[in-house]
Amino acid sequence: MKYILLLLLGLVIGAAAAVFFLGVPSAKAIPGEIVQSPLAGGDPPATVVVSIGDGFFEELLGTVFRDLGPPTFNLSEMDRRAEPSSIEHAVFQGGCTNSVTLAAEANNIKTRMRFAAGKISAPLAFSGKYKLLGNCMQFKGWAQTTIQLSFDQPAQTLYGRVNVEGVNLEGIAPFANNFVTVFVRTAIDSRVNPIQFLRPQQLQLLLPVQASNGSVKAQVRDVRAEVQDGFLRLHITYDFSGSKTQTPQA
């Protein structure tokens, strides 16, 4: 019973101290409007449907880890909401670099993207270092995340935001667990978000019509999405406009 009380006391004190020093982690806003489900009555004219399977992102992530190396996010590179207090400044100083490094796999958890149950989920395996009260702690674990899509029509860009739903750590003392959990959440939100899924170069179309001495431009009006059976299906609706080719004057 004494051990349980000490454990609970450590968790409470750790949580309070983490909030005091680091603040409550808040999700970063992303541009545009949240992508909704397809219309019940069917897609409007000028809509194309693009299907992306789990395997596409598995190959993509595999290439990143194999050819580019594991992505690493350092605290010193993050945007801070305010200047740290003197105590907080002391906590972050020293030769230990506060960082989170994504891993291809850890503790039988594989970093991947899954399309199932109507949502995009992405378990993220990681390791890292954290300087706390003069000690350099090395940690590892995984985060359960989901990805929310957003479309910015003026920018013609499809974004994604990683929402951290839970952080699972290994070998961390109860008092330090809350510090590291807040740190990992902040690192993912500050350094990963927002993700540019599709840029204007991938979304917009320009079709030359030589016989009419002009071209047709297709600009995205709306993007909707559905997730089922291991596929993400994007319903992309276009607006078309034509323009004549300018003839240079003599």
Side-chain angles (χ1 to χ4, degrees):
M1 177 62 72
K2 180 179 179 181
Y3 175 78
I4 295 176
L5 292 177
L6 290 175
L7 178 62
L8 292 175
L9 181 62
L11 289 173
V12 172
I13 295 176
V19 171
F20 177 78
F21 288 136
L22 304 179
V24 179
S26 57
K28 181 187 294 185
I30 59 175
E33 302 292 332
I34 295 175
V35 172
Q36 303 295 328
S37 301
L39 295 171
D43 293 326
T47 298
V48 296
V49 180
V50 179
S51 294
I52 307 173
D54 289 344
F56 174 83
F57 286 99
E58 186 169 350
E59 290 294 323
L60 175 62
L61 291 171
T63 301
V64 170
F65 286 114
R66 183 186 67 245
D67 297 345
L68 303 181
T72 298
F73 313 119
N74 295 323
L75 180 68
S76 59
E77 299 175 358
M78 297 179 191
D79 295 327
R80 302 297 298 276
R81 289 172 298 182
E83 290 296 324
S85 64
S86 58
I87 297 178
E88 183 182 356
H89 183 72
V91 169
F92 290 118
Q93 291 303 304
C96 182
T97 301
N98 294 340
S99 62
V100 174
T101 300
L102 297 185
E105 186 173 358
N107 306 325
N108 297 320
I109 299 297
K110 185 176 181 179
T111 295
R112 58 180 302 190
M113 193 174 295
R114 297 182 64 248
F115 305 133
K119 65 180 181 178
I120 307 172
S121 60
L124 302 176
F126 60 80
S127 62
K129 296 179 181 179
Y130 189 69
K131 179 81 170 183
L132 180 62
L133 301 179
N135 297 314
C136 185
M137 298 183 300
Q138 298 190 17
F139 58 87
K140 61 180 179 178
W142 66 281
Q144 180 58 51
T145 73
T146 57
I147 297 178
Q148 186 178 58
L149 297 179
S150 176
F151 178 61
D152 187 346
Q153 202 276 336
Q156 294 286 281
T157 303
L158 181 66
Y159 291 97
R161 179 163 70 85
V162 177
N163 298 310
V164 181
E165 297 184 342
V167 177
N168 304 275
L169 298 170
E170 270 195 8
I172 298 295
F175 175 81
N177 185 85
N178 295 286
F179 279 96
V180 177
T181 296
V182 173
F183 170 63
V184 170
R185 285 179 176 269
T186 303
I188 293 175
D189 186 61
S190 300
R191 299 297 294 154
V192 176
N193 292 322
I195 302 170
Q196 289 187 336
F197 265 96
L198 292 174
R199 301 181 181 183
Q201 298 91 325
Q202 288 90 43
L203 285 172
Q204 292 180 332
L205 302 173
L206 184 62
L207 309 173
V209 184
Q210 295 182 357
S212 297
N213 191 32
S215 60
V216 174
K217 181 179 181 181
Q219 190 171 29
V220 180
R221 183 205 316 163
D222 186 31
V223 176
R224 294 177 178 266
E226 58 180 334
V227 177
Q228 57 181 187
D229 303 328
F231 285 90
L232 168 65
R233 293 182 174 87
L234 299 175
H235 297 242
I236 306 172
T237 303
Y238 286 93
D239 283 330
F240 294 100
S241 62
S243 60
K244 287 285 189 179
T245 303
Q246 294 292 333
T247 303
Q249 296 181 355

